[in-house]
Amino acid sequence: VTNGGKTTLAEKLKKMLPNCDIISQDDFFKPESEVETDERGFKLYDELDALYMDEMVKSIHNWMKRPASSGVVTEEMQNTRDNLKNGDDVYILIVEGFLLYNYEPLNELWNRRYFLTLPYEECKRRRSTRVYQPADTPGYFDGHVWPMYLKYKNELEENSSNIVYLDGTKSQEELLSRVYSDIIQELKKLKE
């Protein structure tokens, strides 16, 4: 969901996890001139066609061939390394975005999937506090953003499994704790 806390969660996880990088779907938006406009004049940013998804897949595959991390080790990262008690480094890539699980070429890559949800009123409130370039036009949230969220969420619920749905109204700390714990368990399994 838009404004659900995806980027914030990813950035906090990166600070806590060793050998961790982020690829953000927002970095793959097409320029405004290449994004289609509907009959109401709304730019259709909340659709896969508004993104260079092939480029995103290439970036992920390139990272997988040669994973790298920032090289900065925080105290939290060192504690995580110590707790895992194995010298073999595991590299973690967090891919964050809003239409990731609806793009079939990516679905074979995920170890874990998380989907942040928000109720309509909270989502609209948060969206109204953000500044976008180009700016949201009047009626854009109700006329395009929210309907597209519901469409893609329904597709996921019908066609995908192994997705953990997270309540975006929970505190950042609670969400972080939940996902961090899951990742640590996954890392322990990989190291066994």
Side-chain angles (χ1 to χ4, degrees):
V1 69
T2 182
N3 294 280
K6 299 175 297 293
T7 303
T8 301
L9 179 59
E11 289 172 356
K12 287 180 181 238
L13 286 166
K14 183 179 185 330
K15 289 178 182 174
M16 295 176 69
L17 295 166
N19 303 320
C20 183
D21 286 305
I22 299 172
I23 291 180
S24 175
Q25 191 176 36
D26 285 353
D27 294 335
F28 296 90
F29 271 108
K30 293 178 179 176
E32 183 180 3
S33 62
E34 292 181 37
V35 176
E36 289 188 40
T37 304
D38 73 5
E39 66 280 351
R40 298 165 295 180
F42 294 146
K43 285 287 187 179
L44 304 179
Y45 281 106
D46 290 72
E47 297 186 14
L48 285 167
D49 288 342
L51 298 145
Y52 293 120
M53 292 302 295
D54 290 342
E55 292 300 315
M56 184 176 191
V57 171
K58 283 182 200 170
S59 293
I60 293 168
H61 283 291
N62 286 339
W63 183 92
M64 291 171 71
K65 288 177 194 167
R66 285 194 305 268
S69 68
S70 64
V72 176
V73 179
T74 67
E75 185 176 335
E76 290 167 304
M77 288 179 189
Q78 189 59 51
N79 290 340
T80 300
R81 282 184 180 163
D82 293 346
N83 289 338
L84 294 172
K85 293 185 171 89
N86 191 326
D88 298 330
D89 280 335
V90 173
Y91 290 88
I92 301 165
L93 179 62
I94 298 171
V95 182
E96 67 94 8
F98 66 107
L99 291 173
L100 300 173
Y101 310 138
N102 298 85
Y103 191 66
E104 191 60 37
L106 289 174
N107 285 331
E108 67 205 37
L109 302 176
W110 312 126
N111 291 87
R112 303 290 296 168
R113 299 182 206 206
Y114 298 94
F115 189 94
L116 284 154
T117 63
L118 283 177
Y120 168 84
E121 290 297 332
E122 178 62 12
C123 186
K124 188 171 185 175
R125 185 193 67 74
R126 289 184 189 184
R127 178 89 180 199
S128 71
T129 66
R130 298 273 298 271
V131 176
Y132 290 94
Q133 287 301 326
D136 282 355
T137 56
Y140 187 67
F141 181 85
D142 288 320
H144 180 67
V145 174
W146 189 254
M148 293 310 294
Y149 162 69
L150 294 176
K151 174 186 178 227
Y152 286 117
K153 183 175 180 273
N154 288 336
E155 284 179 12
L156 283 182
E157 290 168 346
E158 290 175 13
N159 303 319
S160 298
S161 59
N162 299 323
I163 296 175
V164 176
Y165 291 88
L166 300 172
D167 180 353
T169 63
K170 301 280 187 201
S171 72
Q172 290 179 4
E173 294 75 24
E174 191 173 342
L175 292 170
L176 178 63
S177 176
R178 166 71 195 277
V179 176
Y180 178 78
S181 296
D182 284 356
I183 292 170
I184 295 305
Q185 291 305 314
E186 188 80 17
L187 290 173
K188 285 179 180 177
K189 287 181 201 171
L190 288 172
K191 296 208 175 234
E192 289 176 351

